[in-house]
Amino acid sequence: MAAMGSPGASGTARAEGPAGRARPHKTRRPDATKASGARWQRPAALPPFLALLLISRVAATGTAVALLAAHRVTDDDTLLIAIVTTYAAAWTIAVYRWPGVTGRPWTWVADVAVVHALLWYSSDWRSPFYLLALSSLALPAAHLGARRALIVGFAYAELFLLTGHFIGPDPLGLGSQASLETLAIHLVLPVLLCFGIGYAAETLRTLARERRRGERLAIETERRRIAWELHDSAKQRIHAAHLVLSSAAGGERHQVTAAVEHAMGELGAASADMDTSLAELRSPLEGRPLDVALRERAAQLSGISGPRIEVRGSLPGLSPLHAAHAYRIAAEALTNALRHSRAAHVVVDLRTEDGDVAISVTDDGRGMPSSLRPGASGLLAMDNRARTLGGVLHIEPSGDDGGTRVEARFPLSASQAGASA
Amino acid sequence: MIRIVIVDDHPAVRAGLETVLRGEPGMVPVGSVSDVTDLWPTLYRTKPDMVLLDYHLPDTDGLAVCRQIKRQLMAPSVLIYTAYAGSALSIPATVAGADGLVGKGVPAAELYDVIRRVAKGERVIAPIERELLDDAGLRIELEDLPVMGMLLDETTEADMLDVLGIDAEELDRRVERILQRLSIEVPRFAP
């Protein structure tokens, strides 16, 4: 039955919000830098709920038209077919164009009124428009919650009985058992339908709320874990370094040397701890896969200064820390190539090789200078990042006629821990 | 020679303290443990003069451990060593019977000074500000108020039992309750 498709349909609608959010982007628009904003908007495709609602509506209309065509219901069957087809088309377009109206009570009332008028005009409560009438109850039932949906169902059953009494044949005056059975079905269906849809919708709403709460809790837990990490690791190490250094002030030379070494060890470890926490706190990827983030960066850079930048290949999911460091290495290499090499063409290559992640940036520019300018901290930072990931950074000429190739390699196995997080 | 046992859950802090204490004449670290279960055997074995106790321990509250230590016969002095040194800890530390309270951020010279003063029997806890006292008074039960007052005033336990007309167990219970009410929020997370 077309109208009976609606409970599932509206149920899907409640789940649509969270499910749509969790779904990863399959196709990315170039403006996905605003990904966090775009992800919360209504997807361009029709939500499953509305799709099913429209299908059930079209099916109910089709049934009505078929019944009108098959039997002579009134003298104006042709007119009725025209009206119901036009109305169904207008309704479909309106819902498709402005899905927001499905939540407005006045649209429900108007819909029920129009459909009921058609039912009235067919001058028999065993009307071809009965399915259409049922389908007009789906929206209020889905929005109102189980208890109020049940009330709507009963109210509609009453209204139907009253309508039947006026337009005939008198529902309570029928003698035959078959007609009483038909009447019973006509009265019970709206009640069951409304309650079913209302109950399912309410359950799904509760689920969605629970899931949102779970997400908030997860974020809160993460925040506390980072606070704890900063306090428990970095801060403690800095305290220790401070204490040891302060004890050396005015001491003998060997004491000072020992204290400085001790303190440097602690400070190095503290800085590594903080790197970890900060990378997690402030991932440059904002949840995007590495290759997507790099393509966007490449698009930004080539837009400014001209050279063609190509990003080839992709990588398996990396942990947030690894992805963040890998991104920074590649982004820094790209910036260097554009700033210093006068390259016309830069290739960023992402691949896995012999259990390693290999990220290389190759340009066709004028190559590296024979001596580095003082304070070339970018290269050092890249090297440090590669080491942090347990890997290495190679910088070498890319060809005979100049050009530079920067490659970072680090083990894949270690970089996938917590990749799903 | 001041013999000191260090209690801290972070290895960096333990190593730092050991280095620093060993380098200073007149004091020596005789043990360092990361949690309470290791503490008791170490205390019995080494019989230290002082316990340098981290306030923020993974499973227990440093002040509860402090009370347990001070309940021993011939108890060592307890110096609370904390990253949350603010004056907010002054009242709970005093109530728990600590002999000193020092922040983890102080330079070594100040730490040496505090250790020496505590070893001489002085109580080295920052003076309690009026607002803190008022606030604490509001947070604890009314019947616990005299207990806190006397503890802050360093009244002996015998005198307290006498004045309040309660037995030692009841006093214990009340002190515990005061500490619970005055406990300070620290970031905690069980990974």
Side-chain angles (χ1 to χ4, degrees):
Chain A
M1 299 276 291
M4 293 307 282
S6 300
S10 58
T12 327
R14 303 288 138 241
E16 168 55 25
R21 211 177 310 146
R23 203 187 304 139
H25 279 237
K26 278 182 188 143
T27 53
R28 279 177 186 277
R29 292 185 298 279
D31 66 346
T33 27
K34 299 175 288 182
S36 54
R39 209 176 304 166
W40 295 85
Q41 282 166 12
R42 190 173 56 81
L46 201 61
F49 156 63
L50 282 183
L52 273 166
L53 189 70
L54 291 180
I55 290 170
S56 72
R57 209 55 199 266
V58 169
T61 310
T63 313
V65 170
L67 286 175
L68 283 172
H71 307 277
R72 211 180 83 81
V73 180
T74 64
D75 296 334
D76 313 311
D77 276 359
T78 325
L79 180 66
L80 274 181
I81 289 178
I83 291 176
V84 75
T85 316
T86 315
Y87 180 66
W91 191 88
T92 307
I93 290 169
V95 168
Y96 186 83
R97 185 73 189 75
W98 304 286
V101 300
T102 56
R104 305 276 162 73
W106 60 263
T107 50
W108 310 337
V109 174
D111 190 34
V112 170
V114 170
V115 174
H116 212 75
L118 284 170
L119 194 136
W120 192 290
Y121 191 74
S122 66
S123 59
D124 186 329
W125 53 265
R126 297 160 298 183
S127 163
F129 301 110
Y130 182 67
L131 280 184
L132 209 56
L134 280 187
S135 77
S136 72
L137 295 177
L139 275 178
H143 280 88
L144 288 177
R147 193 180 306 184
R148 277 187 286 177
L150 192 62
I151 295 173
V152 168
F154 275 118
Y156 188 76
E158 293 296 318
L159 179 67
F160 190 80
L161 195 62
L162 204 66
T163 311
H165 176 72
F166 279 112
I167 65 179
D170 188 359
L172 300 178
L174 291 172
S176 90
Q177 188 132 26
S179 293
L180 270 181
E181 213 172 275
T182 315
L183 178 68
I185 291 173
H186 275 67
L187 292 182
V188 167
L189 257 173
V191 178
L192 286 183
L193 179 87
C194 284
F195 183 69
I197 294 179
Y199 183 76
E202 194 172 293
T203 309
L204 285 160
R205 262 198 295 270
T206 313
L207 271 178
R209 204 168 41 236
E210 285 301 308
R211 197 178 317 185
R212 274 197 299 278
R213 212 169 65 92
E215 278 167 13
R216 266 205 309 280
L217 269 180
I219 290 171
E220 175 67 9
T221 311
E222 183 67 8
R223 199 184 64 77
R224 281 175 49 203
R225 190 179 64 76
I226 289 170
W228 176 85
E229 238 174 49
L230 281 176
H231 169 263
D232 199 69
S233 296
K235 196 174 167 194
Q236 303 287 335
R237 289 187 194 280
I238 289 170
H239 280 317
H242 173 244
L243 184 71
V244 171
L245 275 182
S246 68
S247 77
E252 307 217 352
R253 191 173 173 77
H254 71 275
Q255 284 175 331
V256 174
T257 314
V260 167
E261 250 165 47
H262 186 129
M264 272 171 57
E266 293 298 351
L267 288 178
S271 130
D273 286 349
M274 285 207 268
D275 267 354
T276 312
S277 302
L278 287 179
E280 281 175 30
L281 265 182
R282 204 181 42 191
S283 168
L285 303 172
E286 288 166 343
R288 298 167 292 172
L290 183 58
D291 55 323
V292 173
L294 277 175
R295 281 195 177 94
E296 275 162 26
R297 180 71 185 141
Q300 286 168 3
L301 288 175
S302 61
I304 300 163
S305 48
R308 197 153 60 84
I309 305 176
E310 235 182 293
V311 181
R312 292 178 188 160
S314 65
L315 291 173
L318 302 179
S319 78
L321 175 69
H322 283 76
H325 278 306
Y327 174 81
R328 300 259 194 231
I329 291 174
E332 174 74 20
L334 260 182
T335 311
N336 283 346
L338 297 187
R339 194 178 291 160
H340 306 300
S341 78
R342 293 183 193 160
H345 188 193
V346 185
V347 177
V348 181
D349 187 44
L350 311 168
R351 63 188 187 284
T352 50
E353 208 175 79
D354 309 331
D356 280 346
V357 173
I359 297 171
S360 66
V361 177
T362 312
D363 67 58
D364 59 353
R366 56 181 176 165
M368 294 279 286
S370 52
S371 65
L372 289 180
R373 72 190 161 82
S377 59
L379 291 181
L380 288 178
M382 281 158 68
D383 193 50
N384 272 337
R385 286 184 195 282
R387 282 169 201 270
T388 305
L389 303 182
V392 286
L393 186 80
H394 285 300
I395 302 177
E396 59 199 13
S398 64
D400 298 334
D401 50 348
T404 309
R405 180 181 148 84
V406 178
E407 184 182 65
R409 291 183 85 105
F410 51 89
L412 174 63
S413 53
S415 45
Q416 285 186 304
S420 57
Chain B
M1 185 65 84
I2 307 166
R3 306 171 71 251
I4 303 172
V5 162
I6 298 160
V7 187
D8 197 302
D9 61 313
H10 204 284
V13 176
R14 288 203 302 277
L17 279 174
E18 278 180 51
T19 312
V20 166
L21 293 179
R22 199 169 288 127
E24 178 70 2
M27 48 191 77
V28 59
V30 291
S32 81
V33 297
S34 62
D35 62 15
V36 183
T37 40
D38 295 339
L39 173 64
W40 304 118
T42 310
L43 282 189
Y44 291 128
R45 201 178 64 244
T46 56
K47 303 253 183 299
D49 302 307
M50 187 180 298
V51 176
L52 194 50
L53 177 65
D54 183 18
Y55 169 67
H56 179 219
L57 289 171
D59 302 322
T60 43
D61 179 4
L63 295 182
V65 179
C66 171
R67 289 196 68 218
Q68 282 175 310
I69 297 173
K70 293 308 277 187
R71 229 178 290 171
Q72 314 279 315
L73 212 57
M74 310 281 290
S77 326
V78 175
L79 178 52
I80 307 272
Y81 190 53
T82 171
Y84 313 90
S87 46
L89 259 185
S90 294
I91 295 178
T94 313
V95 169
D99 299 281
L101 175 66
V102 66
K104 281 189 173 173
V106 303
E110 198 177 325
L111 179 65
Y112 298 148
D113 181 52
V114 172
I115 289 176
R116 290 211 171 84
R117 280 162 63 196
V118 169
K120 270 186 224 151
E122 213 178 307
R123 176 171 274 193
V124 188
I125 292 180
I128 292 159
E129 293 152 28
R130 183 59 199 252
E131 299 94 75
L132 277 176
L133 200 58
D134 290 347
D135 179 54
L138 290 176
R139 279 162 71 179
I140 64 173
E141 298 272 329
L142 199 59
E143 63 166 348
D144 292 341
L145 212 52
V147 179
M148 187 177 84
M150 284 192 271
L151 283 170
L152 294 181
D153 210 29
E154 302 186 38
T155 314
T156 63
E157 187 173 319
D159 283 350
M160 287 175 67
L161 296 179
D162 213 30
V163 170
L164 295 168
I166 54 176
D167 59 7
E169 255 173 58
E170 171 68 12
L171 180 63
D172 228 38
R173 212 174 52 75
R174 291 198 185 181
V175 173
E176 208 123 287
R177 193 164 58 187
I178 295 176
L179 285 178
Q180 255 172 27
R181 293 289 173 84
L182 298 183
S183 71
I184 290 173
E185 272 295 315
V186 295
R188 263 177 208 282
F189 183 85

